[in-house]
Amino acid sequence: MRKCVFAGTFDPFTVGHADTVQKCLRLFDEVIVALAENRNKNCMFSLAERAEMINVLYKEEQRVRLVEWSGVVVDLLRREHTPFYVRGVRNTVDLEYENANFYASRDLDKEMVTIYIPAEREHVHVSSTLVKNCISFGKPYETYLPPEVYAYLQKRG
């Protein structure tokens, strides 16, 4: 079975994240969405809320599996028995950041294979930070989220 890991804080899970997962499903038999607990970030949504958003979105997709994770990505890849680590990139800033992380991780595990998936043009400006800012300032954000995630947030209040 070919599987990959797609990790992030997903605070919240955007249309860009969902697009990356859909592309992964075209390449892999299983996509492991690794929900990261990052101590360096102040998340708007709790780990449980972020997990629920992703579970609601992929409840019908048996090939997507959610795991919670904290630590070094190479340890997660070993635990999941896959060398394939997927990163979505929107622009050159993302690419530089991801490349720096790639080389640091590669020093820890030479078998790691990182796959960069570029964002679609209509998603280049979409980020979790944009969504959180829209929420904070009472601005519309529906188009930046998968409908299931948006509905979840509307129910949350």
Side-chain angles (χ1 to χ4, degrees), residues 32-83:
I32 300 155
V33 176
L35 181 55
E37 185 64 50
N38 186 336
R39 295 180 204 113
N40 297 327
K41 287 188 176 182
N42 283 329
C43 290
M44 177 175 272
F45 303 101
S46 71
L47 188 66
E49 289 172 318
R50 290 180 280 139
E52 184 62 24
M53 289 178 215
I54 295 166
N55 282 328
V56 165
L57 181 59
Y58 293 110
K59 66 183 174 194
E60 302 296 325
E61 179 52 75
Q62 299 299 312
R63 298 181 307 143
V64 174
R65 181 165 51 94
L66 177 67
V67 300
E68 294 179 9
W69 158 72
S70 177
V72 180
V73 73
V74 295
D75 293 338
L76 175 63
L77 293 171
R78 285 185 193 123
R79 184 181 87 190
E80 294 297 337
H81 306 289
T82 183

Side-chain angles (χ1 to χ4, degrees), residues 5-147:
V5 168
F6 176 45
T9 51
F10 306 123
D11 184 42
F13 200 85
T14 69
V15 291
H17 297 133
D19 184 63
T20 299
V21 169
Q22 290 307 310
K23 289 173 180 166
C24 288
L25 287 169
R26 293 169 64 188
L27 299 169
F28 296 94
D29 302 310
E30 182 180 33
V31 178
I32 300 155
V33 176
L35 181 55
E37 185 64 50
N38 186 336
R39 295 180 204 113
N40 297 327
K41 287 188 176 182
N42 283 329
C43 290
M44 177 175 272
F45 303 101
S46 71
L47 188 66
E49 289 172 318
R50 290 180 280 139
E52 184 62 24
M53 289 178 215
I54 295 166
N55 282 328
V56 165
L57 181 59
Y58 293 110
K59 66 183 174 194
E60 302 296 325
E61 179 52 75
Q62 299 299 312
R63 298 181 307 143
V64 174
R65 181 165 51 94
L66 177 67
V67 300
E68 294 179 9
W69 158 72
S70 177
V72 180
V73 73
V74 295
D75 293 338
L76 175 63
L77 293 171
R78 285 185 193 123
R79 184 181 87 190
E80 294 297 337
H81 306 289
T82 183
F84 300 112
Y85 185 50
V86 171
R87 305 305 300 150
V89 292
R90 294 168 295 180
N91 52 40
T92 57
V93 173
D94 281 355
L95 185 60
E96 287 180 26
Y97 174 82
E98 295 300 342
N99 262 346
N101 285 339
F102 165 73
Y103 290 116
S105 294
R106 231 4 226 285
D107 287 343
L108 300 173
D109 185 351
K110 300 289 186 223
E111 299 303 311
M112 177 182 178
V113 177
T114 299
I115 300 166
Y116 298 124
I117 297 182
E120 293 298 324
R121 184 176 306 146
E122 63 269 20
H123 299 150
V124 168
H125 68 292
V126 177
S127 68
S128 293
T129 301
L130 171 67
V131 174
K132 289 184 285 193
N133 285 339
C134 288
I135 292 169
S136 294
F137 294 107
K139 298 300 179 191
Y141 60 94
E142 182 175 2
T143 59
Y144 306 138
L145 300 177

